[in-house]
Amino acid sequence: MCFKRTILFMDAPETLQKAIATFSDPEKAFEYAVDFRWPGGNVTCPRCGQAKHSFIKTRKIWFCYVCKKQFTVKVGTVMEDSPLGLDKWMIAMWMLANCKNGMSSYELGKVLGIRQNTAWFMLHRIREAMKDDPSFKFGGEDGGPVESDETFVGPNPYKMHKSRKAKVQANDKGAKYVGKTSVFGVLDRELRQARAKVIPDVKRETLQNAVLNQVTPGSKVYTDAAVGYDHLAKEFVHEVVNHAKEYVRGEVHTQGMDNFWSLLKRTLRGTYVAVEPFHLDHYLDEQIFRYNNRATKDNKLTDSDRFALVMSQVAGKRLTYAELTGKDADALHPPTAETGQEEPF
């Protein structure tokens, strides 16, 4: 299921040093971008989808004869309306796709010579390109056993200052995990693919609906002994491991998802440090991309392959600053956006 692509008309850079040397040449960066956007050179207008156009070489833009508008290689992608050059965009994509623990906006800004807030917006747009759009469910005849688990992302209340702890507790009255955000995940063992998303709570209805949306009925589902999974046996072959007594019982365990949570929290705590809850799904998309496209014995993906995958997914996606910050009326963020809510870590 992992992606691997070979660029036929030129040698793909295999290391970051070679990528920097290659993409620093505007002509080569443009050629690579065009090849990723329109494989085979079949350029089509991103607005009307027609191929009747002319190319203005001096400005590197096309003019569409059908809709009578100009377009560049960035139009209709996550890079649209960005004044940054392709060299900066492509290096940022290379680093975010291949740095195991992520890349902070401060570090990226320093590397590319841009402002921190510009780098922050840039990284979120790349995460939008990394987002997986699954067209199938895990398990079933084509998959294998599926692990399902949930975790809580946020600050450690025992390490909080007394005043901050009181403030968080006041905002989360009655919550079992004070100041934390609930995250649900599933892992298909045979496909070696994971999916995760933020959920409002860990009640039985929420967890079971999440499993039903991601796993084919009748599949083997392994979970821990959380009461939210009590009635999964009605739709799945459900087996439970009680972590109060054991962590593994033959094939019954959730160690794969525990490994994913470990990588996620290492990235959040060590690299990003402070992430607001309504942005957490973007960071999950980033971690899922790297996890699902990691090198294995059966599919030895390289840094170049992961970069090629990100570049091939930039088209047809858009993320504006207003949507990202929750200032757009149509933004898909909760009402807590930009209200000064405590950061989870």
Side-chain angles (χ1 to χ4, degrees):
M1 298 302 297
C2 293
F3 175 93
K4 188 164 184 177
R5 175 179 179 177
T6 303
I7 301 175
L8 299 177
F9 76 99
M10 61 176 70
D11 293 331
E14 298 177 353
T15 65
L16 177 59
Q17 188 274 333
K18 291 181 180 179
I20 293 172
T22 300
F23 302 143
S24 60
D25 183 339
E27 288 293 337
K28 287 187 178 180
F30 178 75
E31 290 176 10
Y32 271 96
V34 171
D35 184 64
F36 283 119
R37 178 76 189 277
W38 297 289
N42 300 317
V43 179
T44 58
C45 176
R47 296 187 180 92
C48 65
Q50 300 299 315
K52 296 181 179 180
H53 50 70
S54 60
F55 180 61
I56 305 173
K57 187 174 181 180
T58 55
R59 298 173 59 195
K60 290 185 172 55
I61 63 174
W62 289 265
F63 177 77
C64 179
Y65 294 129
V66 179
C67 62
K68 305 299 182 182
K69 292 183 179 179
Q70 297 176 341
F71 64 92
T72 70
V73 71
K74 290 182 180 179
V75 172
T77 73
V78 295
M79 300 181 286
E80 185 169 347
D81 289 338
S82 171
L84 299 177
L86 287 172
D87 56 338
K88 287 182 169 59
W89 271 105
M90 295 170 87
I91 293 302
M93 290 180 189
W94 183 288
M95 298 182 74
L96 192 63
N98 295 305
C99 292
K100 186 175 182 180
N101 291 327
M103 169 71 63
S104 75
S105 57
Y106 282 94
E107 187 174 1
L108 182 65
K110 183 173 65 174
V111 169
L112 297 182
I114 59 179
R115 295 189 303 173
Q116 180 271 331
N117 57 348
T118 301
W120 179 80
F121 184 30
M122 189 181 199
L123 288 172
H124 273 294
R125 293 162 88 171
I126 297 173
R127 293 183 187 110
E128 183 71 16
M130 289 178 166
K131 184 181 296 184
D132 184 25
D133 186 17
S135 58
F136 64 94
K137 293 184 178 182
F138 284 165
E141 296 180 358
D142 297 330
V146 177
E147 298 177 22
S148 176
D149 196 20
E150 76 289 337
T151 191
F152 298 91
V153 176
N156 185 342
Y158 295 102
K159 296 180 180 180
M160 284 185 186
H161 188 275
K162 184 178 180 180
S163 60
R164 187 188 176 201
K165 183 176 180 180
K167 184 178 179 181
V168 172
Q169 288 176 334
N171 291 334
D172 293 341
K173 294 179 180 178
K176 182 178 180 181
Y177 295 91
V178 176
K180 293 184 180 288
T181 302
S182 306
V183 180
F184 167 82
V186 288
L187 170 72
D188 190 307
R189 290 185 185 171
E190 286 192 3
L191 297 179
R192 299 177 65 85
Q193 301 276 299
R195 294 174 187 166
K197 66 175 183 177
V198 173
I199 54 176
D201 51 59
V202 290
K203 295 179 181 178
R204 179 180 287 110
E205 182 180 2
T206 303
L207 289 177
Q208 294 191 1
N209 284 336
V211 175
L212 283 169
N213 289 335
Q214 297 293 342
V215 185
T216 305
S219 304
K220 289 183 179 179
V221 176
Y222 300 142
T223 70
D224 56 23
V227 295
Y229 299 114
D230 281 353
H231 303 306
L232 286 181
K234 295 180 180 180
E235 296 286 343
F236 306 96
V237 179
H238 182 212
E239 295 193 55
V240 174
V241 57
N242 188 347
H243 288 165
K245 299 179 180 179
E246 58 189 359
Y247 281 91
V248 179
R249 188 178 70 257
E251 292 186 353
V252 184
H253 62 79
T254 59
Q255 297 298 290
M257 279 308 306
D258 289 339
N259 174 48
F260 178 81
W261 298 140
S262 175
L263 293 171
L264 172 67
K265 293 181 179 181
R266 187 181 307 157
T267 299
L268 294 176
R269 292 171 181 166
T271 302
Y272 297 121
V273 183
V275 176
E276 292 202 46
F278 64 88
H279 284 149
L280 185 55
D281 268 323
H282 292 123
Y283 292 88
L284 288 172
D285 292 333
E286 173 194 335
Q287 191 65 43
I288 290 167
F289 175 88
R290 283 196 298 265
Y291 186 86
N292 289 348
N293 294 286
R294 65 199 184 281
T296 65
K297 291 181 179 179
D298 299 327
N299 195 2
K300 297 183 179 180
L301 295 175
T302 65
D303 290 355
S304 182
D305 296 324
R306 281 181 286 273
F307 165 74
L309 176 55
V310 177
M311 284 296 297
S312 69
Q313 295 182 170
V314 299
K317 298 178 181 179
R318 186 80 192 279
L319 180 65
T320 65
Y321 193 77
E323 291 173 338
L324 179 60
T325 56
K327 297 177 181 178
D328 190 340
D330 297 327
L332 300 178
H333 295 309
T336 54
E338 295 296 315
T339 58
Q341 178 176 337
E342 283 291 325
E343 295 172 347
F345 26 74

